Amino acid sequence: MDGTRTRAQAGPALGYLFVFVPGLLLVAGREFGADWLVVAAIFVVFPLLRVVFADVPGSAPVWTEGWARVLHSLPRAYAIFLGALTAWVAWVLGHGQRPAGIEAVLFGISWWLVNSLATCVAHELLHRPECGDRVLGRWLAALAGYPILGHEHLAHHAHPGDTARAEYARVGESLWRYVARRTPMAWIHAIEWDSAESARRANRWRPGGLKVAVAITLGTWAVFAAVGGGVGFVLYGAQIVGVHFLVQLITYLQHWGLGDDTLAEAVDKEYAWEDTCQLQAWLVMGLSLHQSHHLRPSLAYYRVAPMQTSPRPPMSYAWLMLVALVPALWRIAMLPALDYWKRSPGRPLSPGRRLHCFGLYSKA
Amino acid sequence: MRNLESIVAAPSFFNDVNEVAQAIHDAEDEPRAIQLLKKGLDAIGAEAGIFASFVRDDCSHESYRFFVACDPEWCLKYRRQTWFANDPALIYAAGASEPCRVSELKISSAGQRALMADAARHGFVSGCVFPAPSAGGNSRRGVLVAGSSQPGFYECYGFAKVRLAGRTLALELHEWWRRLLRRELLEEAQLTHEDLELLRLHQLGMGSKEIAALLRTTPASVDSRFQRLIARLGTPTRKAAARVAADLGII
């Protein structure tokens, strides 16, 4: 019986290996002169694969202990993988086939996407009870170019629904205004949080502290400048800026319109958009099941299931990211979804094997 | 104006506190426990107080629970500012077991100074901190903070008796919270006696084969039970599940 269940769970468990695919495509793209591979995968192939993989199940699998141990170790393995990948990028810039021109731009964008997804894995580690995993998560985020994740994210959880602190975007707020508002606040909140932790532990230079994380990011930047010269300096600098932007963008996607500016119960209910696409959940380690995550932050990614009454976005994260760049398009896409959820929270709409929900709102 | 020395000099001082402590033990719900907290605070001369229960080293503060018997406006502000992340009284209680005066707490940041200044404006001009540690390396702690709006109220020699009395109240409140959290976990995770037995046997160092032999079942059945049990508890392994249960005193 256990062997049968182990085999039956292999598919859903191994699906989480998708988290490694963008990094492997980055390497393959450089090797074969196809630096567009990661971009094509994230924005075209993966969203289209929704017709194959459909939605996550309504409840999380009861994993065998063997699979639970494997899945629990996966983020740690990923941290090692990203370290090796970063070292490989430094080698490419210093000694290998350095990209140039349009190839360099595509390579930079692809690397940015990989680093951005790495923050999802770091996020999983941050919420673990094991101290070593939390430190590893902070270092992973720092290596990806976003050293404040471990601190500002805990502050984000402590202030659900708070639009004044820019933890949630206001309903009338564009992505650009939100990013401009949130980025400095995220740093301020991270410094405050770190200050509180330092006071608690009487140690400003502890391994999980903000100073160490910032040192990792700056140290990595210095290494890239040293091995890659001007190109290395610009490329990694662009990662830092790009990942900062993308983390705020994802926060925008996950909480737009659900804050205390329009919903009286926002602080208590901790609303968040949940995309139930199975492949999406594999790729971001369950982060897309975001309201569930807010209500039980330390629950491991492989045990999270969607909430039955959560608001659902009309398309995948990848396409929503592009739509959010144009505020008018964002309102066209999201206002019907928000309105539908407010009217019928108990009847969430999911695309299932369709690519989007447009047209479903008018029929509902 | 109340005087601490006269309060603790009363013949019924310890008797009154013990009665409240016993009533806390028997309190059937949160409103009753809060009512008794207020009565206990009054018995030790305090006008305001907070009891917090938390897991040490919980960075995300999911485990934090509070009983409040003070200005509700201040409580809202305390929560909004997430002062619990930087509260000198909670930091003290995470590592110490001896009661102390609030004036003796180490204040090391501007944020903490702001918190203490605001607390003073809401009834905590003078106060005491009564930690309630758990036994056996358990990571859940409790702390009772009692406050008075009178400057220097707890700085007199009467504090020696208040230390004992406040500690009694803190320990009973801590134990009350632990019982509540145990009940919540048992209900949420739908743990049965058999589940608890499995965890206890695992704590004793037994593997699936030994447990199966003891319970007259098969190792596969034991593994299957553990799988469902750790899924309900949301832990990755049976070892982590046993630790969660042990922390709450369930096993």
Side-chain angles (χ1 to χ4, degrees):
Chain A
M1 171 73 154
D2 197 52
T4 309
R5 195 201 279 250
T6 301
R7 281 189 295 277
Q9 291 182 345
L14 293 174
Y16 286 107
L17 291 178
F18 261 102
V19 76
F20 293 93
V21 169
L24 294 172
L25 289 176
L26 181 73
V27 175
R30 187 83 294 270
E31 290 301 307
F32 298 112
D35 293 302
W36 44 264
L37 278 179
V38 177
V39 177
I42 300 284
F43 291 109
V44 180
V45 176
F46 290 167
L48 291 176
L49 283 177
R50 186 173 198 132
V51 300
V52 174
F53 293 109
D55 283 349
V56 295
S59 57
V62 178
W63 299 102
T64 63
E65 286 182 87
W67 280 125
R69 266 194 294 273
V70 166
L71 291 171
H72 203 71
S73 303
L74 203 61
R76 298 170 189 147
Y78 183 88
I80 297 170
F81 170 77
L82 191 83
L85 191 70
T86 306
W88 170 79
V89 174
W91 178 83
V92 163
L93 296 180
H95 305 283
Q97 289 179 297
R98 183 188 286 199
I102 191 70
E103 279 185 352
V105 172
L106 284 172
F107 182 80
I109 292 173
S110 299
W111 190 25
W112 163 64
L113 290 169
V114 171
N115 277 327
S116 299
L117 285 169
T119 60
C120 299
V121 182
H123 167 269
E124 163 65 23
L125 288 166
L126 292 177
H127 281 292
R128 289 198 170 174
E130 298 95 339
C131 182
D133 281 343
R134 293 199 300 271
V135 170
L136 185 62
R138 291 177 178 190
W139 290 359
L140 177 58
L143 191 63
Y146 194 65
I148 62 171
L149 182 68
H151 300 84
E152 65 92 343
H153 188 67
L154 294 180
H156 169 74
H157 273 277
H159 294 271
D162 198 330
T163 52
R165 280 177 54 109
E167 303 299 352
Y168 282 38
R170 297 180 181 122
V171 72
E173 195 167 25
S174 72
L175 168 68
W176 303 104
R177 185 184 285 269
Y178 180 69
V179 170
R181 194 163 69 94
R182 186 158 203 272
T183 302
M185 277 197 184
W187 271 92
I188 291 168
H189 299 158
I191 291 167
E192 283 172 353
W193 199 269
D194 181 65
S195 184
E197 275 191 8
S198 296
R200 214 163 40 238
R201 293 172 197 272
N203 182 0
R204 292 192 177 277
W205 280 99
R206 65 197 185 286
L210 184 59
K211 286 186 172 66
V212 170
V214 170
I216 289 173
T217 302
L218 294 178
T220 306
W221 201 359
V223 167
F224 273 94
V227 302
V231 171
F233 180 84
V234 168
L235 211 52
Y236 191 74
Q239 299 307 301
I240 294 172
V241 171
V243 175
H244 268 71
F245 174 77
L246 195 116
V247 172
Q248 314 322 328
L249 189 161
I250 294 296
T251 307
Y252 182 82
L253 299 190
Q254 288 171 338
H255 295 293
W256 171 85
L258 303 174
D260 57 4
D261 56 328
T262 55
L263 297 170
E265 72 282 17
V267 173
D268 290 329
K269 297 292 187 183
E270 303 196 48
Y271 294 125
W273 295 90
E274 291 198 323
D275 178 13
T276 52
C277 173
Q278 174 66 84
L279 181 52
Q280 176 86 71
W282 283 335
L283 205 51
V284 299
M285 287 207 161
L287 193 58
S288 45
L289 304 178
H290 207 60
Q291 188 167 326
S292 285
H293 167 66
H294 260 264
L295 294 178
R296 212 170 153 191
S298 57
L299 188 63
Y301 70 96
Y302 50 90
R303 299 221 187 271
V304 179
M307 302 275 301
Q308 288 311 302
T309 55
S310 59
R312 305 288 169 89
M315 62 183 86
S316 69
Y317 271 23
W319 289 355
L320 273 181
M321 277 164 52
L322 299 174
V323 167
L325 298 176
V326 184
L329 278 182
W330 174 263
R331 283 191 295 275
I332 290 169
M334 291 297 287
L335 281 173
L338 182 63
D339 179 61
Y340 174 80
W341 170 72
K342 285 180 176 176
R343 283 185 285 112
S344 311
R347 291 193 297 136
L349 282 179
S350 169
R353 289 184 194 276
R354 298 161 59 109
L355 296 179
H356 58 78
C357 283
F358 294 128
L360 294 181
Y361 301 121
S362 55
K363 290 178 192 163
Chain B
M1 203 178 273
R2 298 179 87 187
N3 177 283
L4 182 64
E5 286 167 12
S6 58
I7 290 171
V8 303
S12 64
F13 173 69
F14 281 114
N15 204 47
D16 291 343
V17 171
N18 285 339
E19 273 181 16
V20 174
Q22 179 60 47
I24 289 171
H25 184 271
D26 300 329
E28 62 273 10
D29 52 29
E30 281 184 51
R32 176 65 181 146
I34 292 173
Q35 203 179 30
L36 290 165
L37 167 63
K38 289 178 183 167
K39 201 171 169 188
L41 289 168
D42 187 63
I44 59 173
E47 295 156 41
I50 295 177
F51 182 81
S53 174
F54 60 98
V55 170
R56 199 178 43 204
D57 298 331
D58 174 11
C59 298
S60 57
H61 309 102
E62 278 174 74
S63 67
Y64 283 48
R65 300 283 195 278
F66 294 91
F67 275 155
V68 291
C70 56
D71 187 345
E73 185 193 308
W74 189 72
C75 295
L76 272 174
K77 190 173 182 183
Y78 184 91
R79 194 208 181 288
R80 282 233 132 203
Q81 303 278 9
T82 54
W83 274 332
F84 47 81
N86 199 16
D87 190 330
L90 299 186
I91 294 170
Y92 176 77
S97 55
E98 280 296 308
C100 73
R101 297 179 178 93
V102 167
S103 57
E104 293 161 359
L105 292 174
K106 189 177 164 198
I107 311 297
S108 52
S109 70
Q112 288 180 328
R113 279 192 286 278
L115 159 62
M116 300 305 282
D118 213 69
R121 283 192 286 275
H122 292 88
F124 290 87
V125 174
S126 176
C128 349
V129 178
F130 305 100
S134 293
N138 195 300
S139 56
R140 184 161 277 273
R141 320 283 286 189
V143 60
L144 173 64
V145 182
S148 168
S149 59
Q150 287 177 229
F153 186 80
Y154 285 107
E155 311 305 316
C156 63
Y157 94 95
F159 179 68
K161 287 189 177 176
V162 165
R163 283 177 77 247
L164 296 171
R167 191 178 232 168
T168 304
L169 292 172
L171 287 170
E172 279 304 331
L173 286 163
H174 181 50
E175 200 43 46
W176 190 92
W177 265 114
R178 287 190 72 216
R179 283 198 302 273
L180 175 70
L181 291 167
R182 271 202 293 274
R183 275 200 308 274
E184 281 181 359
L185 182 67
L186 288 169
E187 280 167 22
E188 273 171 28
Q190 296 169 333
L191 296 181
T192 61
H193 290 297
E194 289 79 14
D195 292 331
L196 299 179
E197 188 59 21
L198 279 180
L199 291 172
R200 261 185 226 111
L201 292 173
H202 173 74
Q203 279 282 61
L204 292 172
M206 291 190 188
S208 294
K209 284 186 185 156
E210 289 159 305
I211 294 174
L214 194 67
L215 300 180
R216 293 192 190 142
T217 183
T218 63
S221 172
V222 168
D223 286 343
S224 183
R225 290 211 70 141
F226 267 118
Q227 282 159 26
R228 289 194 295 276
L229 172 56
I230 65 177
R232 290 201 303 274
L233 284 169
T235 56
T237 59
R238 53 180 81 174
K239 183 179 172 186
R243 195 166 50 238
V244 165
D247 256 3
L248 281 173
I250 295 176
I251 58 170

